Structure formats: C-alpha cells, structure tokens
Amino acid sequence: MEVWFPDLKTLFLPESLELAPEILSELLEQEKRNFYAKLEISDDKISFETFQDSSILDYYFGILEHYQGVHSDDTIRKIIEDFEPKYIDFWNEISYSQRYFEMLKICLKSWGLDLEETRIITKSIEWFEVRGIDLSQEKQTQLKNISKKLSELSQNFSNNVVDSKKEFEYNIEDESIISEMPDDDKQAAKDRAIKKNISWYLFDASQGAYMSIMKYCSDSQVRKHFYEFRHKVATTWKHDNSPIILEILKLRHEKAQLLGFNNYAELSLKFKMAESPEQVIELFSDISNKAQSKSKAELDEIRDYFDITDLQIWDLSYYANILRKKKYALDDRELKKYFEFEAVLQWMFEITKKLYGIEVKKIDQESYNQDVSIYEVYKDGTFISYFFTDYFYNELKRPGAWANILREKFEENKKITLNVCNFQKSENGQTLLTLSDVETMFHEFGHATHEMLSRSKYSELSGFHVEWDFVELPSQLLENWCRDSSGMRIFAKHIETWEWVPEEMFLKLEQLENFGSWEFVITQNTYAMMDMWLHSITPPSSVQELEDFVNKNYDDNASFVRGEVYSPHTSFTHIFDGWYAAGYYSYMWAEIIEKEVWKAFKDSWDIFSPEVAEKFHDMVLSAGTIKKASELFRDFFWRDVEISAFLSEKGLA
Ligand SMILES: [Zn+2]
C-alpha cells in the first residue's frame, strides 16, 4: 500500500513554517471563494454533495495546531494567534448565513437522502438553529448582545477568582508541621518563598499547594485556614462574584427562552446524551443517598482509628491519607517495575486485537522528533487508519494527554488518529510507567479506537463527533483492562524477576481504589447538582436567595456538616467561565455508563468475551454518531441508564 502519511518533519522545518502564514491566508481566500460560489447554486441543483467538500485549510491548520500542542515555541504560537481570529470571523459569517441555512433545509426535503445523510443535514440545521438563525432580526440582535455580555461577565468572573487567589499566601515557619509532606511539595514552597525574598515555606492558593496542606500538614488550625479561604474566594467587596453570577444566570435564562427552551439546562442538554435535567437530577440523587450512607461507615472508622470525637471537614484528607498508607501500604516504585513502556504498549495493542480485532503495525517513517512512532491500523485485514504517537514529555509540550484526528476524511485510506502523552522517558533505555501512566495510555487509545473503527463513510458521524457526555465511554472503558487483575495478569511482568504481579498487590490496588471513593463522589455530585439546579430554576433574584440555594444544595447532598464559611459557587469557573454550564454532571455520567458496559463484560465471566466485545463494537463503538447516544445505549442494553453498576464498582452499593 502506498504510504500517505504527511511528511511532518519537513512541514515543521523553520523554512516551511516561514511560509505558513501566507499558505493559510491563501487557503482561507480559496475557502471563502468556494463558500460564496456555493451560495449561488440554484435551489434545483442542491444535493447532499453540495455540503460535502473536504477542506485543505482545516487539514493544514489542524497539523499546525498539533505542532503547537507538542512544540509550543514563539514561532508556531504567533502563526496560530495571528490566523485564528480571521478563521473564527469566517466561521461566524457562515453560521449567520441565511442562504446557507435555507440550502440545508432544501436539501433535507429533497428526495433520496439515506439515514446517515439525513442525520448529517439534520444535525447541521440544529446547529444553526441554536445560534438563533430562525429568529427575527430584533431577537437575533438581542441574542448577540446577550452573548457579548455573557462573555464579558465570564471574563470578569475569572479575573475575580484569579485576583482574589493572588491575595492569599501563608508562610510556615515551623517545619515540624509539614514534616510528612513530600520533598517536591516542600521544595516548591521553598522556591516560592525565595522568589519573594522571605525565609521558610510559602504556600499560595494554587490547587497543588492546597492539596498538599490538606493532606500533609499536621496542624488542624492551618488546614482550617486554607479550607476557609478556599471557600470564600471572590466574595470580598473588591472581587465579588455573587452579583456577576446573578447576572450570568439571568442572561442564560433569557437566551434559552429566546431560543424556545424552558431554561438553560434544557438548551445545554439539547446536544448531549442525557435527555432531561430531571433524568440527571433523579439519578444523581440516588447516588448521593448511597454515598452518604457509605460515608458514615468510613468516617466512623477514621474517628475510631485516631480516637477523634470532633472530626472537622478540613481534617478529613489528612487523616484519610494516613489511614490509607497504614492499611494499604503500596510501594509505587516497586509497582512501576511491572510496567515497562514497550511491553505495556505491545500488550495494549494485543488487548484491543482480542477485543476489537484490530492490528497495529509500525511503519518506518521519520517525523518531527525521534519519539514519534507511526502505525498502520487494520481491521480484519483492511486498512482503517494511520495512528501516530508522541508519548514522551518535553518542555515545549502542553501538559496532559489527548487524542486527536489529523485527517478525517475516509477516502483513499487517509484517516489519521493520534495520541499525545507526557510520560517521563528514562535516560538509560528502559522506561517504567506508573499505573496512572498506563491508565492514561489505555484511555487515549480508547478514544483513538472510537475514531478509527467508525464505520460511516462520513467523518461527521465518526466517534469524535458524539455527544460530549458520551465521548468518554470507549476511553474510560478501555482503562478497565489494565486495572482489572485478569487484564493486568496478561501483561504486567516484573522487569527483573519476570514474575507476575503478586496476589496481595492486586488486592491492595483494588481496595485502594475504593477507599474514600464516597468523598469524591459526594463532592462531584454536590457540584453537579448545584450546576444543574441553578440552570433549571427561575434564576435567583438576590444574593441572599442565591446563597440560600447553594447552602440547601450542600445540606441535601453532602455528608459533613457545612462549615461556617461556604461559597463554592463564587469560584466555580467550570460553569461560570467554561463549557460546563449545566454540563458538570458529564464527568460522572461518563463513568456511570462506562461501568455499565464493563459490568456486561464481567457478568459474562470473561473480560474478553467475544460476544460482548462484538456487540459493543457493532452497536456502540463502530456506530460513532450514526444515531443519538441515548439510542445506541438502548440498542446495547434495551433500557435506559441505571446507576447500579456504578455503585457496585465504586464500592457504594
Ligand atoms: Zn478522555
């Protein structure tokens, strides 16, 4: 087969990048000309094909964006920053093009569209509709004004959080109270102090510093101080987010109603798997009740073990951490010796071969750095996609891990999926991964398989385009095979002794995973419920009303007595300056549905059950978004989402 993988090495040479701005401008002009020409097509000539042109601009810009992700130096950043606004402007022009919208509607009515084509056109029409294209000129203007105001308010919200956090710092002089803290964390606190020209250890309001204090600082009063600050961020007169929240909620509600929805939560769920705010609230209330009863037992265990009668919320992480270490002492350095990078990678490919019948073959092609590997992926002997990996940390790479598509269109075998991670590479050859690295590797490959295995010939219906509360299903699901003892038994061999992971270690890992799981579940749940309720009700009209609401939500869902200081909403950037408004539930939702599928494998007594794997492949994975996610789920289970599998996997049943 002819290799049709782009020569990324050449594309990213300085002399090539020098030409990038000009190429981008030309491609954009070309794209605009094509678009305006399309608008001139007469009604009787409109067909499905009218909307099916692959964009070289998207492809080229995607490649450059990838490079920015893995090698973010000034050159590439400037290229992207200069071009992006022009690109967005053009997109906005398209999304308010009345003629284009009309054309889509004509196409939908035309004769002979098959199911997939109908779904693609319907989805496009809906996308235009929620942007308000169908509204009167007056209402459109209103909508645009709301959007503008909302983006200003969100920006102010975030600024207040940042500025408010900046005002916090805490100097610890008594080293004995942080003696249990890991050296890295202490060093970070020391570095902070040096920067400010003071002695001792300086802690700020960053997530890392906060977690470190809550887990390792032995002084309860210090923990209390941090906890209380954390729960009053952006509440002072100087940086007060409460009035901003009231305004945001009001405007979102107005926006939803302009677009014909009862409230903002309904608008948000329009493109998600969850069918209504009520469905989410009902399932999450059940989880909340179960987690609360589990919490009582574990809290009692902590009180008994340390003989504390008055356990406060800021004491919890500290004592839980000590207990966890005492009960399940697990040597992370020893565990790593079972996860040699190359071996784990080969076994991951082996596992997905067993499950989905895909074969991954490395090809010999140079790329932009030595750590990049390029593969061809086959299913039942047929090429389905290129897959390339850029697994190791370098200082110019964006933190985290992700899966992406470089080229979507199927024709001529050109699809490219990729995984990027930030694993620490060993200098002396053999790289050992932590269990969490292994999970990340499986997770991202799960995303990649969702895309590679999509059977529709249209990229609009592939795995990466599903509802976003459904998109984590294949990735989180695949993680189970590296964590489950029968999965881990296949690949995890000690690098020196060649022994399997001992039974006792498995047991500890399993118990460790569920220890304190209720705390995480309750916290996530309380946030998710606050978010969903706030966007479902008539917006509160005063700060007092808002506070009463937030407090009641805590009392209904949490298991600890609320502290005097409690204001989590004023720093909740996920929903007030982010994409998660009436969508915070999706983190846990993804886990709920993933545990359901995993349970189907476990119930068959074989985590490689060919029947279950085939059913999952055919009905969910390869279906991409040919149907709505809720329908795919029903095809697989013959029922709606339930929480029993989630509860039992989390040890909360
Ligand atoms: Zn993911």
Side-chain angles (χ1 to χ4, degrees):
M1 197 188 82
E2 192 190 347
V3 177
W4 221 102
F5 195 88
D7 180 358
L8 297 179
K9 190 180 175 184
T10 307
L11 273 169
F12 298 150
L13 288 174
E15 53 268 39
S16 312
L17 290 176
E18 216 169 282
L19 301 173
E22 207 185 311
I23 299 175
L24 285 169
S25 292
E26 258 172 46
L27 288 174
L28 181 61
E29 286 315 310
Q30 180 65 42
E31 198 100 332
K32 284 182 179 173
R33 281 195 296 276
N34 291 349
F35 179 70
Y36 301 136
K38 196 180 286 184
L39 298 183
E40 299 298 319
I41 295 175
S42 61
D43 289 2
D44 58 317
K45 296 264 162 41
I46 294 169
S47 72
F48 180 73
E49 277 65 40
T50 310
F51 307 95
Q52 283 293 303
D53 35 10
S54 54
S55 156
I56 303 172
L57 175 61
D58 280 354
Y59 176 38
Y60 182 56
F61 191 58
I63 288 178
L64 294 173
E65 276 186 316
H66 168 73
Y67 196 54
Q68 190 197 16
V70 296
H71 187 97
S72 179
D73 62 8
D74 292 345
T75 314
I76 187 72
R77 254 193 243 170
K78 187 164 170 25
I79 295 172
I80 303 280
E81 274 170 20
D82 287 351
F83 182 69
E84 212 159 31
K86 297 175 207 158
Y87 204 19
I88 292 173
D89 279 349
F90 180 50
W91 262 103
N92 281 332
E93 195 184 331
I94 295 178
S95 60
Y96 285 104
S97 165
Q98 204 67 42
R99 172 62 189 158
Y100 195 76
F101 180 60
E102 287 304 321
M103 289 170 72
L104 283 167
K105 287 203 287 191
I106 292 168
C107 177
L108 188 63
K109 280 191 212 129
S110 69
W111 189 81
L113 291 188
D114 67 19
L115 284 176
E116 293 190 10
E117 292 164 351
T118 306
R119 175 142 170 88
I120 290 169
I121 299 295
T122 308
K123 276 177 66 166
S124 303
I125 289 175
E126 285 173 349
W127 183 80
F128 273 89
E129 280 169 351
V130 295
R131 295 180 75 99
I133 194 142
D134 250 355
L135 300 177
S136 67
Q137 203 63 43
E138 189 196 337
K139 283 185 173 170
Q140 266 190 23
T141 314
Q142 222 177 322
L143 206 59
K144 280 182 193 166
N145 287 338
I146 290 178
S147 297
K148 207 171 142 217
K149 265 193 243 162
L150 276 173
S151 80
E152 281 165 22
L153 287 164
S154 298
Q155 192 58 51
N156 294 345
F157 183 93
S158 274
N159 291 345
N160 274 340
V161 173
V162 172
D163 293 344
S164 174
K165 282 186 173 179
K166 255 193 232 154
E167 286 173 357
F168 179 86
E169 51 185 35
Y170 192 87
N171 200 11
I172 292 184
E173 297 181 15
D174 177 3
E175 200 178 344
S176 71
I177 63 168
I178 50 167
S179 62
E180 295 154 54
M181 198 175 276
D183 291 342
D184 289 358
D185 293 9
K186 271 204 269 188
Q187 190 57 47
K190 194 151 217 168
D191 292 343
R192 253 179 244 125
I194 291 171
K195 253 190 209 157
K196 295 224 164 175
N197 262 328
I198 45 175
S199 349
W200 315 110
Y201 298 92
L202 188 67
F203 290 84
D204 59 17
S206 65
Q207 176 74 2
Y210 178 78
M211 292 304 294
S212 196
I213 290 288
M214 297 316 270
K215 261 170 100 173
Y216 304 110
C217 174
S218 60
D219 186 329
S220 178
Q221 285 309 307
V222 176
R223 292 196 302 263
K224 181 181 182 201
H225 184 73
F226 274 77
Y227 177 86
E228 293 195 330
F229 175 76
R230 172 82 163 213
H231 285 82
K232 61 177 182 198
V233 170
T235 55
T236 56
W237 64 271
K238 236 167 99 189
H239 310 295
D240 190 1
N241 269 341
S242 294
I244 296 182
I245 292 175
L246 291 179
E247 188 67 15
I248 289 180
L249 289 172
K250 192 180 118 236
L251 289 171
R252 282 181 181 164
H253 193 69
E254 273 177 40
K255 177 178 173 176
Q257 295 207 317
L258 272 173
L259 291 167
F261 297 88
N262 287 315
N263 52 53
Y264 191 80
E266 282 183 12
L267 167 61
S268 164
L269 293 189
K270 167 86 183 163
F271 295 107
K272 298 195 178 83
M273 175 188 175
E275 284 171 328
S276 66
E278 292 76 20
Q279 186 195 17
V280 175
I281 287 170
E282 198 182 310
L283 285 178
F284 279 42
S285 303
D286 286 351
I287 293 175
S288 181
N289 292 333
K290 286 285 186 326
Q292 283 183 42
S293 47
K294 171 81 178 180
S295 78
K296 292 201 174 63
E298 270 189 25
L299 286 171
D300 282 344
E301 192 188 349
I302 292 177
R303 285 189 190 101
D304 286 351
Y305 193 93
F306 296 97
D307 197 18
I308 312 169
T309 41
D310 185 26
L311 186 70
Q312 298 290 336
I313 192 156
W314 47 84
D315 299 326
L316 192 57
S317 301
Y318 176 71
Y319 288 112
N321 188 46
I322 297 178
L323 189 59
R324 185 182 288 132
K325 268 200 215 147
K326 289 231 159 85
K327 277 180 82 171
Y328 314 110
L330 196 71
D331 186 347
D332 288 337
R333 277 165 305 182
E334 196 51 31
L335 188 61
K336 274 177 100 172
K337 292 188 180 158
Y338 293 90
F339 303 133
E340 191 273 320
F341 169 75
E342 282 296 336
V344 173
L345 186 67
Q346 287 317 311
W347 279 111
M348 181 175 78
F349 292 155
E350 203 58 40
I351 283 169
T352 42
K353 185 178 173 186
K354 270 182 144 190
L355 288 171
Y356 309 137
I358 53 173
E359 255 176 289
V360 184
K361 292 181 189 164
K362 196 168 179 170
I363 59 169
D364 196 21
Q365 188 178 327
E366 266 192 282
S367 196
Y368 56 92
N369 84 43
Q370 288 174 340
D371 291 329
V372 171
S373 296
I374 305 167
Y375 303 86
E376 288 170 355
V377 184
Y378 294 83
K379 161 98 177 148
D380 306 326
T382 307
F383 175 92
I384 53 169
S385 177
Y386 286 104
F387 171 61
F388 87 93
T389 62
D390 184 344
Y391 275 136
F392 295 105
Y393 167 84
N394 78 60
E395 52 191 21
L396 289 175
K397 203 187 257 186
R398 207 174 81 198
W402 61 93
N404 208 346
I405 337 172
L406 220 50
R407 200 167 44 204
E408 302 195 68
K409 293 287 171 186
F410 280 13
E411 76 263 34
E412 296 171 60
N413 292 343
K414 289 173 186 172
K415 186 182 218 174
I416 301 174
T417 50
L418 64 96
N419 279 174
V420 178
C421 296
N422 269 292
F423 302 144
Q424 203 65 49
K425 195 179 177 181
S426 149
E427 293 305 318
N428 57 20
Q430 237 174 3
T431 291
L432 302 180
L433 302 175
T434 63
L435 178 56
S436 133
D437 289 340
V438 178
E439 287 168 356
T440 303
M441 189 196 268
F442 275 62
H443 180 102
E444 298 310 334
F445 194 56
H447 280 306
T449 58
H450 199 189
E451 181 62 29
M452 295 191 282
L453 286 164
S454 301
R455 65 171 177 263
S456 171
K457 64 176 171 176
Y458 302 116
S459 48
E460 293 95 326
L461 299 181
S462 75
F464 276 10
H465 295 87
V466 300
E467 292 86 335
W468 78 329
D469 51 354
F470 192 65
V471 78
E472 297 296 328
L473 171 61
S475 52
Q476 294 194 165
L477 181 69
L478 198 59
E479 285 181 42
N480 289 295
W481 277 268
C482 72
R483 257 190 323 252
D484 186 87
S485 56
S486 35
M488 204 191 281
R489 240 178 268 274
I490 295 178
F491 66 90
K493 270 190 174 178
H494 197 281
I495 44 155
E496 289 148 11
T497 63
W498 285 93
E499 304 267 341
W500 303 111
V501 179
E503 210 54 43
E504 170 206 23
M505 211 174 217
F506 276 129
L507 209 66
K508 276 185 189 168
L509 277 171
E510 231 169 72
Q511 291 169 328
L512 205 59
E513 209 185 308
N514 284 339
F515 181 81
S517 65
W518 61 269
E519 195 200 346
F520 176 77
V521 169
I522 284 180
T523 311
Q524 287 294 307
N525 209 31
T526 310
Y527 276 96
M529 292 288 249
M530 170 169 50
D531 167 42
M532 193 55 87
W533 275 116
L534 277 175
H535 290 101
S536 307
I537 52 171
T538 310
S541 55
S542 69
V543 172
Q544 189 58 51
E545 208 183 306
L546 175 67
E547 274 171 19
D548 290 347
F549 176 87
V550 171
N551 288 341
K552 185 177 181 313
N553 179 67
Y554 180 92
D555 299 342
D556 288 347
N557 292 291
S559 60
F560 234 95
V561 181
R562 178 162 42 84
E564 263 170 58
V565 179
Y566 181 70
S567 181
H569 51 300
T570 45
S571 58
F572 200 178
T573 39
H574 264 84
I575 66 165
F576 294 117
D577 179 29
W579 300 98
Y580 282 85
Y584 197 77
Y585 77 95
S586 56
Y587 286 108
M588 216 153 79
W589 180 271
E591 261 196 273
I592 294 170
I593 54 176
E594 169 255 309
K595 292 295 178 230
E596 293 234 56
V597 180
W598 176 235
K599 188 170 180 290
F601 277 97
K602 281 173 77 172
D603 285 351
S604 72
W605 296 102
D606 172 11
I607 60 164
F608 292 100
S609 158
E611 291 78 32
V612 184
E614 193 184 335
K615 191 176 159 192
F616 180 67
H617 171 272
D618 291 354
M619 291 181 167
V620 179
L621 203 58
S622 73
T625 180
I626 284 174
K627 293 181 188 176
K628 286 181 178 171
S630 50
E631 288 173 35
L632 299 178
F633 188 90
R634 257 181 234 120
D635 288 349
F636 189 89
F637 285 104
W638 287 87
R639 59 166 171 77
D640 287 332
V641 179
E642 284 173 5
I643 54 170
S644 54
F646 173 82
L647 292 174
S648 69
E649 285 290 318
K650 291 264 168 203
L652 299 174

